Amino acid sequence: MRPVSSTLRTKMQRLGLRTLRGEQAWAERAADILPGGVNSPVRAWNGVGGHPLPIASAAGAVITDGAGRDYLDLVDSWGAGIVGHAHPAVVSAVRAAASNGLSFGATTEAEVELAEEIRDRYEPAQKVRLVSTGTEATMTALRIARAATGRDVIVKFAGLYHGHSDALLVAAGSGLATSGVPDSAGVTKAVAADTMVLPYGDVDALTDAFAEHGSRIAAVITEAVPANMGVIAPPAGFHRLISDLCRNEGAVFIVDEVLSGFRAGPAGGWGLERDADIAAGREPWAPDLVTFGKVIGGGLPVAAVAGRADLMDLLAPLGAVYQAGTLSGNPVAVAAGLATMRLLDDDAYAHLTRVSTMMRRGVSAELASHGITHAVGHAGTLFSVFLGLEEAPVTFDDVSRQDALAYSDMFHSLRGSGIALPPSAYEAWFVSLAHTDEHVGKVVDAIIAWGGREAKQP
Ligand SMILES: Cc1ncc(COP(=O)(O)O)c(C=O)c1O
Ligand SMILES: N[C@H](C=O)CCC(=O)O
């Protein structure tokens, strides 16, 4: 297959600079008050060029910008919008909860119900602490692991993202990978020194790290399905190896399911492997601690750290690990999460599986028919497209060889066709219960339009 042409690159650079007047005016107003014009970096479109208009509303699979233009949404609030935007059952649950009071700073029955719902679907979540963001969840998981082991070192994998706490902003994915600056400024050398970074999927590097430093390692943290450098299928046996090494050396295995939890499949990325293990007659491995976010809040700020009861009981007020939050378990947010989870039955996962499979296969077939070199990374219902790669990547170095400029061109072309792709080649594409076969057809047609146009270039 041919790589994307240099003519296309030039065209892309032009496109990156091209901004409509209304968009420019909006970008200037926003940037005057919000750093970079945004409240989270990937929203700034630095990975694809140009400036987005603010979003005015969203319903089902469609998101509408301030100029009234509709886009088929493949971002879905970065995975949180799994049932589709403004689902009537979720909106009505939120209305009902809000009319009973917005926040009490005290425990509610719904918080307990949401925690039970999580445990019922994900057995290793024996106990659950609700927080407001994935960042808090992973940060708390590290604190529990360090308290439990009396050790300092955390192992993470290059290109994986676990939120923006200091210890985890080292060799990170998502917006940091997009910007090409994977280590954040402002993290002290001392904190960074306690984070050991290894290449994802590298069995030798992991085994050597434990052989050399095992007695200093408090925890290994990984995404159940890496999805913040594009979607990476975990290599067979890699998680079991981490689990075995952690158990043998007395370290804690933290599985981050903030993005993949109840999204990659009914029991997240872990559930996919559990099912495969059971089918193969193997005893499934289990995380010691697990973090959730996104789906469990249904679009409002709810996240969780969960796991083995003995570890979770180290949290205050039972134990000496302090963690707290004024708005933790907020009743309105919890209502959105509960209503969302209750929509996620077997039929829902069958739908998500069918639509996501049709979409990744349809897009790949069209790219192939235009002779465009690409690979598709996927695990369960999660997927993303890597342009310029011959095979699905595993490490951050593999991913870095993708053609991000070609992605930008595809992004803008599809935008012109009324489709909102993630504004970075390093993010997953998300579908929801509101996405239909017709929507898949629309995306495939848009790829045809883009690939066709590109193919006509000299
Ligand atoms: C795997 C993973 N962990 C943690 C986070 C952090 O979550 P939040 O943005 O809610 O802080 C994210 C996404 O942002 C994520 O994808
Ligand atoms: N990749 C991130 C989360 O999964 C994107 C969300 C954000 O950082 O704004």
Side-chain angles (χ1 to χ4, degrees), residues 103-126:
S103 179
F104 314 125
T107 305
T108 63
E109 189 177 352
E111 282 172 82
V112 174
E113 282 176 30
L114 180 58
E116 287 169 346
E117 187 80 39
I118 291 170
R119 183 189 55 197
D120 290 350
R121 291 164 185 252
Y122 201 105
E123 298 106 74
Q126 293 172 353

Side-chain angles (χ1 to χ4, degrees), residues 255-267:
V255 171
D256 183 351
E257 296 256 24
V258 167
L259 191 150
S260 54
F262 311 112
R263 152 71 68 178

Side-chain angles (χ1 to χ4, degrees), residues 133-135 138 161-163 223 228 256 258-259 294:
T133 65
T135 296
T138 55
Y161 180 67
H162 305 288
E223 290 184 58
N228 282 288
D256 183 351
V258 167
L259 191 150
K294 299 187 191 273

Side-chain angles (χ1 to χ4, degrees), residues 71-93:
Y71 300 94
L72 178 67
D73 189 17
L74 296 182
V75 181
D76 277 338
S77 186
W78 304 103
I82 193 164
V83 297
H85 294 289
H87 190 290
V90 180
V91 171
S92 123

Side-chain angles (χ1 to χ4, degrees), residues 242-410:
I242 303 176
S243 172
D244 289 347
L245 289 169
C246 284
R247 191 167 348 96
N248 293 343
E249 290 290 344
V252 175
F253 183 15
I254 304 170
V255 171
D256 183 351
E257 296 256 24
V258 167
L259 191 150
S260 54
F262 311 112
R263 152 71 68 178
W270 169 75
L272 299 176
E273 295 191 21
R274 174 204 55 190
D275 294 349
D277 279 341
I278 291 171
R282 287 187 298 263
E283 177 71 17
W285 58 271
D288 298 310
L289 291 175
V290 55
T291 53
F292 300 106
K294 299 187 191 273
V295 165
I296 66 163
L300 290 185
V302 182
V305 53
R308 270 174 34 202
D310 62 314
L311 292 173
M312 292 299 295
D313 284 347
L314 295 175
L315 284 172
L318 284 182
V321 178
Y322 200 73
Q323 184 283 329
T326 304
L327 295 180
S328 290
N330 172 270
V332 181
V334 162
L338 256 182
T340 298
M341 297 286 277
R342 286 175 177 161
L343 290 165
L344 294 175
D345 56 12
D346 289 348
D347 288 348
Y349 286 106
H351 180 84
L352 291 166
T353 302
R354 201 172 55 78
V355 171
S356 61
T357 305
M358 276 173 67
M359 195 168 303
R360 72 178 154 77
R361 288 194 181 148
V363 167
S364 180
E366 283 314 323
L367 291 173
S369 78
H370 287 289
I372 294 176
T373 306
H374 72 283
V376 177
H378 88 96
T381 69
L382 280 170
F383 71 100
S384 72
V385 176
F386 300 93
L387 297 177
L389 296 186
E390 303 270 359
E391 45 186 70
V394 177
T395 66
F396 185 64
D397 283 350
D398 298 341
V399 170
S400 306
R401 286 191 276 275
Q402 72 179 315
D403 192 336
L405 278 177
Y407 182 88
S408 299
D409 189 56
M410 181 170 72

